[in-house]
PDB file of all heavy atoms in Angstrom:
ATOM      1  N   THR A 102      91.796 122.628 -55.559  1.00 95.00           N
ATOM      2  CA  THR A 102      91.346 122.895 -56.922  1.00 95.00           C
ATOM      3  C   THR A 102      91.302 121.646 -57.798  1.00 95.00           C
ATOM      4  O   THR A 102      91.214 121.758 -59.027  1.00 95.00           O
ATOM      5  CB  THR A 102      92.252 123.944 -57.587  1.00 95.00           C
ATOM      6  OG1 THR A 102      93.611 123.475 -57.565  1.00 95.00           O
ATOM      7  CG2 THR A 102      92.156 125.275 -56.863  1.00 95.00           C
ATOM      8  N   SER A 103      91.361 120.456 -57.195  1.00 93.00           N
ATOM      9  CA  SER A 103      91.301 119.208 -57.948  1.00 93.00           C
ATOM     10  C   SER A 103      92.421 119.180 -58.975  1.00 93.00           C
ATOM     11  O   SER A 103      93.571 119.476 -58.649  1.00 93.00           O
ATOM     12  CB  SER A 103      89.913 119.068 -58.593  1.00 93.00           C
ATOM     13  OG  SER A 103      89.796 117.855 -59.284  1.00 93.00           O
ATOM     14  N   VAL A 104      92.126 118.843 -60.240  1.00 93.00           N
ATOM     15  CA  VAL A 104      93.169 118.788 -61.260  1.00 93.00           C
ATOM     16  C   VAL A 104      93.459 120.154 -61.876  1.00 93.00           C
ATOM     17  O   VAL A 104      94.285 120.258 -62.784  1.00 93.00           O
ATOM     18  CB  VAL A 104      92.795 117.790 -62.377  1.00 93.00           C
ATOM     19  CG1 VAL A 104      92.851 116.374 -61.872  1.00 93.00           C
ATOM     20  CG2 VAL A 104      91.418 118.104 -62.946  1.00 93.00           C
ATOM     21  N   ASN A 105      92.789 121.202 -61.422  1.00 93.00           N
ATOM     22  CA  ASN A 105      93.064 122.554 -61.909  1.00 93.00           C
ATOM     23  C   ASN A 105      94.292 123.126 -61.208  1.00 93.00           C
ATOM     24  O   ASN A 105      94.634 122.714 -60.090  1.00 93.00           O
ATOM     25  CB  ASN A 105      91.871 123.467 -61.666  1.00 93.00           C
ATOM     26  CG  ASN A 105      90.799 123.315 -62.730  1.00 93.00           C
ATOM     27  OD1 ASN A 105      90.865 122.418 -63.571  1.00 93.00           O
ATOM     28  ND2 ASN A 105      89.816 124.181 -62.694  1.00 93.00           N
ATOM     29  N   PRO A 106      94.939 124.118 -61.823  1.00 95.00           N
ATOM     30  CA  PRO A 106      96.072 124.769 -61.149  1.00 95.00           C
ATOM     31  C   PRO A 106      95.596 125.693 -60.040  1.00 95.00           C
ATOM     32  O   PRO A 106      94.428 126.099 -60.009  1.00 95.00           O
ATOM     33  CB  PRO A 106      96.723 125.573 -62.277  1.00 95.00           C
ATOM     34  CG  PRO A 106      95.584 125.905 -63.196  1.00 95.00           C
ATOM     35  CD  PRO A 106      94.677 124.691 -63.162  1.00 95.00           C
ATOM     36  N   VAL A 107      96.508 126.022 -59.128  1.00 97.00           N
ATOM     37  CA  VAL A 107      96.228 127.096 -58.176  1.00 97.00           C
ATOM     38  C   VAL A 107      96.736 128.393 -58.803  1.00 97.00           C
ATOM     39  O   VAL A 107      97.824 128.436 -59.379  1.00 97.00           O
ATOM     40  CB  VAL A 107      96.899 126.849 -56.807  1.00 97.00           C
ATOM     41  CG1 VAL A 107      96.231 125.712 -56.083  1.00 97.00           C
ATOM     42  CG2 VAL A 107      98.392 126.579 -56.938  1.00 97.00           C
ATOM     43  N   VAL A 108      95.915 129.423 -58.727  1.00 97.00           N
ATOM     44  CA  VAL A 108      96.236 130.699 -59.372  1.00 97.00           C
ATOM     45  C   VAL A 108      95.856 131.836 -58.431  1.00 97.00           C
ATOM     46  O   VAL A 108      94.811 131.800 -57.788  1.00 97.00           O
ATOM     47  CB  VAL A 108      95.469 130.863 -60.708  1.00 97.00           C
ATOM     48  CG1 VAL A 108      95.858 132.181 -61.381  1.00 97.00           C
ATOM     49  CG2 VAL A 108      95.752 129.696 -61.641  1.00 97.00           C
ATOM     50  N   GLY A 109      96.720 132.835 -58.373  1.00 98.00           N
ATOM     51  CA  GLY A 109      96.432 134.037 -57.609  1.00 98.00           C
ATOM     52  C   GLY A 109      96.446 135.255 -58.508  1.00 98.00           C
ATOM     53  O   GLY A 109      97.133 135.271 -59.540  1.00 98.00           O
ATOM     54  N   CYS A 110      95.708 136.277 -58.137  1.00 98.00           N
ATOM     55  CA  CYS A 110      95.617 137.486 -58.953  1.00 98.00           C
ATOM     56  C   CYS A 110      95.541 138.715 -58.039  1.00 98.00           C
ATOM     57  O   CYS A 110      94.857 138.694 -57.006  1.00 98.00           O
ATOM     58  CB  CYS A 110      94.385 137.429 -59.852  1.00 98.00           C
ATOM     59  SG  CYS A 110      94.189 138.856 -60.954  1.00 98.00           S
ATOM     60  N   VAL A 111      96.245 139.766 -58.434  1.00 98.00           N
ATOM     61  CA  VAL A 111      96.225 141.037 -57.715  1.00 98.00           C
ATOM     62  C   VAL A 111      96.023 142.153 -58.742  1.00 98.00           C
ATOM     63  O   VAL A 111      96.713 142.189 -59.769  1.00 98.00           O
ATOM     64  CB  VAL A 111      97.536 141.270 -56.941  1.00 98.00           C
ATOM     65  CG1 VAL A 111      97.540 142.640 -56.282  1.00 98.00           C
ATOM     66  CG2 VAL A 111      97.742 140.184 -55.894  1.00 98.00           C
ATOM     67  N   VAL A 112      95.089 143.048 -58.480  1.00 98.00           N
ATOM     68  CA  VAL A 112      94.824 144.180 -59.363  1.00 98.00           C
ATOM     69  C   VAL A 112      95.324 145.451 -58.675  1.00 98.00           C
ATOM     70  O   VAL A 112      94.960 145.715 -57.516  1.00 98.00           O
ATOM     71  CB  VAL A 112      93.321 144.301 -59.696  1.00 98.00           C
ATOM     72  CG1 VAL A 112      93.096 145.446 -60.684  1.00 98.00           C
ATOM     73  CG2 VAL A 112      92.794 142.989 -60.275  1.00 98.00           C
ATOM     74  N   VAL A 113      96.153 146.218 -59.390  1.00 97.00           N
ATOM     75  CA  VAL A 113      96.802 147.398 -58.806  1.00 97.00           C
ATOM     76  C   VAL A 113      96.546 148.615 -59.685  1.00 97.00           C
ATOM     77  O   VAL A 113      96.636 148.545 -60.917  1.00 97.00           O
ATOM     78  CB  VAL A 113      98.319 147.165 -58.678  1.00 97.00           C
ATOM     79  CG1 VAL A 113      99.009 148.405 -58.098  1.00 97.00           C
ATOM     80  CG2 VAL A 113      98.608 145.946 -57.810  1.00 97.00           C
ATOM     81  N   LYS A 114      96.227 149.735 -59.037  1.00 96.00           N
ATOM     82  CA  LYS A 114      96.028 150.998 -59.771  1.00 96.00           C
ATOM     83  C   LYS A 114      96.518 152.167 -58.919  1.00 96.00           C
ATOM     84  O   LYS A 114      96.180 152.252 -57.727  1.00 96.00           O
ATOM     85  CB  LYS A 114      94.543 151.183 -60.103  1.00 96.00           C
ATOM     86  CG  LYS A 114      94.265 152.395 -60.990  1.00 96.00           C
ATOM     87  CD  LYS A 114      92.798 152.439 -61.379  1.00 96.00           C
ATOM     88  CE  LYS A 114      92.506 153.599 -62.320  1.00 96.00           C
ATOM     89  NZ  LYS A 114      91.071 153.645 -62.708  1.00 96.00           N
ATOM     90  N   ASP A 115      97.345 152.994 -59.520  1.00 94.00           N
ATOM     91  CA  ASP A 115      97.874 154.185 -58.837  1.00 94.00           C
ATOM     92  C   ASP A 115      98.544 153.822 -57.516  1.00 94.00           C
ATOM     93  O   ASP A 115      98.386 154.513 -56.499  1.00 94.00           O
ATOM     94  CB  ASP A 115      96.761 155.201 -58.593  1.00 94.00           C
ATOM     95  CG  ASP A 115      96.131 155.701 -59.883  1.00 94.00           C
ATOM     96  OD1 ASP A 115      96.843 155.753 -60.904  1.00 94.00           O
ATOM     97  OD2 ASP A 115      94.918 156.005 -59.874  1.00 94.00           O
ATOM     98  N   GLY A 116      99.260 152.696 -57.530  1.00 92.00           N
ATOM     99  CA  GLY A 116     100.000 152.294 -56.340  1.00 92.00           C
ATOM    100  C   GLY A 116      99.157 151.676 -55.244  1.00 92.00           C
ATOM    101  O   GLY A 116      99.660 151.423 -54.139  1.00 92.00           O
ATOM    102  N   ARG A 117      97.879 151.401 -55.522  1.00 95.00           N
ATOM    103  CA  ARG A 117      97.004 150.788 -54.527  1.00 95.00           C
ATOM    104  C   ARG A 117      96.523 149.432 -55.013  1.00 95.00           C
ATOM    105  O   ARG A 117      96.203 149.259 -56.196  1.00 95.00           O
ATOM    106  CB  ARG A 117      95.779 151.662 -54.244  1.00 95.00           C
ATOM    107  CG  ARG A 117      96.054 153.001 -53.603  1.00 95.00           C
ATOM    108  CD  ARG A 117      94.755 153.718 -53.245  1.00 95.00           C
ATOM    109  NE  ARG A 117      93.897 153.890 -54.415  1.00 95.00           N
ATOM    110  CZ  ARG A 117      92.718 153.282 -54.563  1.00 95.00           C
ATOM    111  NH1 ARG A 117      92.259 152.451 -53.641  1.00 95.00           N
ATOM    112  NH2 ARG A 117      91.990 153.514 -55.651  1.00 95.00           N
TER     113      ARG A 117
END
Side-chain angles (χ1 to χ4, degrees):
T102 57
S103 182
V104 290
N105 278 9
V107 290
V108 182
C110 182
V111 176
V112 183
V113 179
K114 186 175 183 180
D115 298 330
R117 295 186 303 113

